[in-house]
Structure formats: structure tokens, C-alpha cells
Amino acid sequence: MGKHLKKAVLPENYKNYVFDLYGTLVDIRTDETRPFVWEKLALFFGYYGAHYEPKELCSRYGEIVKEQESNLKKVLDVRRQDSHESSPEIEITSVFLQLYRDKGISADEQLAVYSGQLFRVLATDYVRLYPGTREMLMHLKTLGKNIYLLSNAQRIFTAYEMKDLGISSYFDDILISSDYRTRKPDEQFFKILVQRHLLDSAQCLFVGNDSKCDIAGAQNARMDTFYVKSNISPENDEAEDANYIVNEFFEWEI
């Protein structure tokens, strides 16, 4: 049973602080199911000769994602030398490249990136920092702490959103799952960070809003954990075995 806190105030006795992004530092609302998204995206694809009906584009997008995830999982499972199950993370640019190729269009990677970014913008209602996020990160830096990000995300979305929000510079390193073809809760993703920076896991506090991906994953990597139940945590999510628990998270405090 972890320590329940009324306010989201991080303990200061750790050397390394590893953060999840969405639902922990950044509040975001997206909806990829709206017809508007696929209508506008189909129009954009048509500009470059890849003519889709909106429902066709939506359906084919989902099929390609599933196909690529399945193929990547097979590769990762073959490579593994332990009993843990792999958690594949495809690079979404390849999905948009395939959507063009399906229509006989030899799109370059830049067009695929722009297509993916347009898709993200169309599906996003808002993206913003939780109150107090910047001040909390600044406080950790003034204390001389190391700050890292470990996010299940796509670089072509996340790197740009972090830059727009003005928080990229607070991190000593930023690991985005699409770059590594694996994601939380896979222990391999955590190990990449630990090994790259020669971190002592006992001196790491992982901060996240998902009991499985963040808390269980970090615990398997032998890190202490700080759980915040935010507005975009999984439904009915609980993390009673986290070291610190904030069940009603709205803002960061110092």
C-alpha cells in the first residue's frame, strides 16, 4: 500500500525523476473517430493523387496499423532473450507512406510526416500543460535533479507538441517509444534509459498516470513510483502498490 497524498508534490530525495508525458505533464484530448477528421484527411490525400473515400481511408489506416504492429511483435519476440512479453511501437510515418503506396503514389517521407501531423491536428481538441507543470520541472532543476522523459508516443507528434508547450529544454533526455520500436510497460524500454545514463534504479522515481504502462512497468525496472490519477488515466484505474498516490490529480505543486 502506497502513501496517499492530497496534493501532487514530488518527494525530493531522489536523484533521477522519470516522467510519462500525456496525462502526467500534458493534458490532451484527441478523437480520431470523428468523420470530420477522415473527410479532411481524404481531401488532403487527394491533393497528391491518392484518392480515398473518408470511410475507406479510416478503415485502411486501421488495417495497416494492425498489420505493422503484428509484424513488429513477431520480430521483437524472436529477438527477446527473456520471458517478458514485447510491446511493439510502430513508427507512424510508415503507415502514411503505405496509404499513398496503396494508391500507386510514391510519396516521400516528408509528405508522409506532414500527412501524419495534419491527422494529429485534425483529431486534437486541445493540448496543454497541467497547471504547475513548468514550475515543478524548474524546481527540480534548481535542486540539481536529473529529469528524463519516457513516453509512449510518436515523434512526429510529440516532439512538436513539447516544443510548442516550451518544456523540451527541462529534460536531460527524451525517449519517445516510436524511436525504439517498443513501449511501456515493456521492461526493455526502461532499460534503454537506465543503461544509456548508467542510472541506479534505486535512485529513480517514475511519475505516471497509468497503473499498467507506467507504474507496473517502472516497478519491473526496479524504480520507485509516483502515481497520479488524471482526467485521462484509464477508466477505473488504480495503483495502490505505487509508492506515492494522488487519486485526484489536477495540478502540480511544489
Side-chain angles (χ1 to χ4, degrees), residues 135-147:
E135 293 79 5
M136 177 269 290
L137 294 173
M138 289 177 62
H139 180 65
L140 290 178
K141 296 304 288 185
T142 63
L143 295 175
K145 307 298 184 179
N146 299 318
I147 306 177

Side-chain angles (χ1 to χ4, degrees), residues 145-167:
K145 307 298 184 179
N146 299 318
I147 306 177
Y148 303 102
L149 185 79
L150 200 69
S151 177
N152 288 355
Q154 293 291 326
R155 176 164 292 279
I156 68 168
F157 307 154
T158 299
Y160 292 85
E161 289 168 356
M162 290 182 67
K163 182 178 180 181
D164 184 54
L165 293 168
I167 59 172

Side-chain angles (χ1 to χ4, degrees), residues 164-177:
D164 184 54
L165 293 168
I167 59 172
S168 301
S169 62
Y170 293 113
F171 296 93
D172 295 282
D173 200 0
I174 295 171
L175 276 69
I176 298 175
S177 59

Side-chain angles (χ1 to χ4, degrees), residues 166-220:
I167 59 172
S168 301
S169 62
Y170 293 113
F171 296 93
D172 295 282
D173 200 0
I174 295 171
L175 276 69
I176 298 175
S177 59
S178 65
D179 292 342
Y180 302 95
R181 302 299 189 268
T182 186
R183 60 188 172 189
K184 299 173 291 182
D186 196 330
E187 188 178 331
Q188 294 299 320
F189 194 25
F190 293 85
K191 283 183 176 179
I192 293 170
L193 174 67
V194 170
Q195 293 172 357
R196 177 182 296 177
H197 296 283
L198 302 177
L199 302 181
D200 178 358
S201 295
Q203 286 295 314
C204 294
L205 181 68
F206 192 94
V207 186
N209 75 302
D210 185 307
S211 63
K212 179 180 178 181
C213 291
D214 296 327
I215 304 307
Q219 288 172 338
N220 287 335

Side-chain angles (χ1 to χ4, degrees), residues 1 13 27 29 38 40 50 56 100 115 125 128-129 133-134 141 150 170 184 187 191 198 202 221 244 246 248:
M1 180 74 69
N13 56 308
D27 185 10
R29 178 182 291 171
W38 299 100
K40 296 302 181 183
E56 176 194 9
Y100 281 105
S115 301
D125 288 331
R128 60 199 179 198
L129 296 176
T133 293
R134 186 175 286 106
K141 296 304 288 185
L150 200 69
Y170 293 113
K184 299 173 291 182
E187 188 178 331
K191 283 183 176 179
L198 302 177
Y244 306 92
V246 181
E248 295 184 2

